[in-house]
Amino acid sequence: MGLYIILMGVQGSGKGTQAGYITQNYGGIPQISTGDLFRAMKTRTDDLAKQIQQLMAEGKLIDDDTTNKVVEDRLQQPDAANGAIFDGFPRTPYQAQWLENYLAKKGEKIAAVVLMEINLYDAFRRAFGRVTSPSGQGYNIYTDAENLDIKWIEHPEKLFPPRLEATVKATGEKLVRRPDDAHADAIIKRIDIFKKTTQPLIDYFSGKGLVKTVNADQTVEAVTADIKKILDAAK
Ligand code: AMP
């Protein structure tokens, strides 16, 4: 049996970090983030890829069939033969049902749905403040403020919003934001969509006894320890 886990949590709840931990400690099963898969299509110039980029920039969801197809292709890669951690998927009961059917055909099932709970103000600060160095190191302009030089620069054409310029004090490395994080309106839309779409999913999976709640407003290590308990019990 493989280990198939769904990590649920609003943008900024720390799903990516915890998925990294699970990959390392549970047989290398890959994290499958539909957001990352869609972002990776950025370099494609076909109509579908362009349409996806547009919807993402507006903070809207991609349609279910397109999303399921992208996940199916990803699950067929050899590294996903023994399980996967789904991050940002499923986002609708239709996607959830599709995933269950797909796994059932292979004699597999979802082991647990880990729900990472955090208040939405903290989630906004985590997403809006998130910046990354060229080497891939992540920082936050609010929680790591003492290590960073942070400036809000007037837009060259005096448009709103101003631009963020952030560098690491110790190294002078320039930090960049994910385009969809730089746009406060897009983050708020994502949070709204999360609130609206999560409840039906929680209801759907609760009926099957799969939902396990974790307090995500703790240190990374404390959240990891809670997730470990859940996964060891579910295996
Ligand atoms: P994320 O990084 O998970 O927040 O995803 C970024 C964006 O990708 C979302 O705002 C959606 O536009 C799109 N997306 C990611 N996962 C899904 C999904 N399961 N269903 C529909 N759209 C998705």
Side-chain angles (χ1 to χ4, degrees):
M1 275 295 264
L3 182 63
Y4 294 88
I5 301 152
I6 295 170
L7 267 187
M8 270 177 39
V10 69
Q11 179 94 22
S13 61
K15 278 176 300 174
T17 305
Q18 296 301 333
Y21 158 80
I22 301 169
T23 296
Q24 267 179 10
N25 292 279
Y26 292 84
I29 58 171
Q31 173 192 3
I32 298 186
S33 153
T34 38
D36 284 349
L37 292 172
F38 289 135
R39 274 184 288 279
M41 291 181 179
K42 212 167 41 195
T43 47
R44 280 181 23 189
T45 52
D46 55 282
D47 284 348
L48 177 65
K50 279 199 238 159
Q51 196 192 339
I52 287 172
Q53 295 311 313
Q54 178 65 32
L55 287 168
M56 285 176 77
E58 292 169 13
K60 292 182 182 155
L61 287 184
I62 314 301
D63 74 89
D64 285 336
D65 289 333
T66 304
T67 304
N68 293 344
K69 181 74 180 72
V70 165
V71 172
E72 180 172 5
D73 288 350
R74 182 64 187 85
L75 282 172
Q76 281 165 357
Q77 313 266 318
D79 66 331
N82 295 317
I85 310 149
F86 298 101
D87 167 4
F89 179 87
R91 282 244 219 327
T92 66
Y94 182 86
Q95 292 177 6
Q97 219 154 23
W98 174 86
L99 179 63
E100 285 191 313
N101 291 340
Y102 180 85
L103 292 178
K105 277 188 227 142
K106 300 203 301 174
E108 300 283 2
K109 61 182 171 49
I110 296 160
V113 177
V114 178
L115 175 61
M116 301 190 45
E117 282 197 322
I118 185 170
N119 86 54
L120 298 178
Y121 169 69
D122 289 334
F124 180 85
R125 277 165 48 104
R126 286 197 192 182
F128 190 69
R130 172 163 55 184
V131 283
T132 312
S133 76
S135 58
Q137 174 75 34
Y139 297 90
N140 185 289
I141 63 168
Y142 303 112
T143 51
D144 301 316
E146 72 274 21
N147 299 317
L148 308 177
D149 275 322
I150 297 157
K151 274 188 237 144
W152 290 98
I153 306 287
E154 192 172 294
H155 190 284
E157 285 140 39
K158 306 243 184 289
L159 299 174
F160 191 82
R163 291 186 175 164
L164 173 69
E165 271 187 19
T167 50
V168 182
K169 275 186 192 161
T171 61
E173 275 183 299
K174 260 190 155 146
L175 298 165
V176 292
R177 303 164 98 186
R178 249 169 51 178
D180 52 344
D181 280 349
H183 200 338
D185 183 55
I187 298 176
I188 287 175
K189 282 205 179 108
R190 284 203 302 263
I191 292 177
D192 284 346
I193 291 177
F194 177 81
K195 281 204 308 188
K196 234 186 278 160
T197 56
T198 315
Q199 198 54 48
L201 280 173
I202 295 172
D203 295 344
Y204 179 87
F205 286 122
S206 290
K208 299 165 190 261
L210 285 174
V211 178
K212 311 288 169 195
T213 302
V214 171
N215 173 11
D217 192 13
Q218 310 180 77
T219 61
V220 171
E221 294 73 24
V223 177
T224 299
D226 286 352
I227 290 180
K228 182 173 185 308
K229 273 185 224 147
I230 292 169
L231 298 188
D232 291 347
K235 264 199 300 183

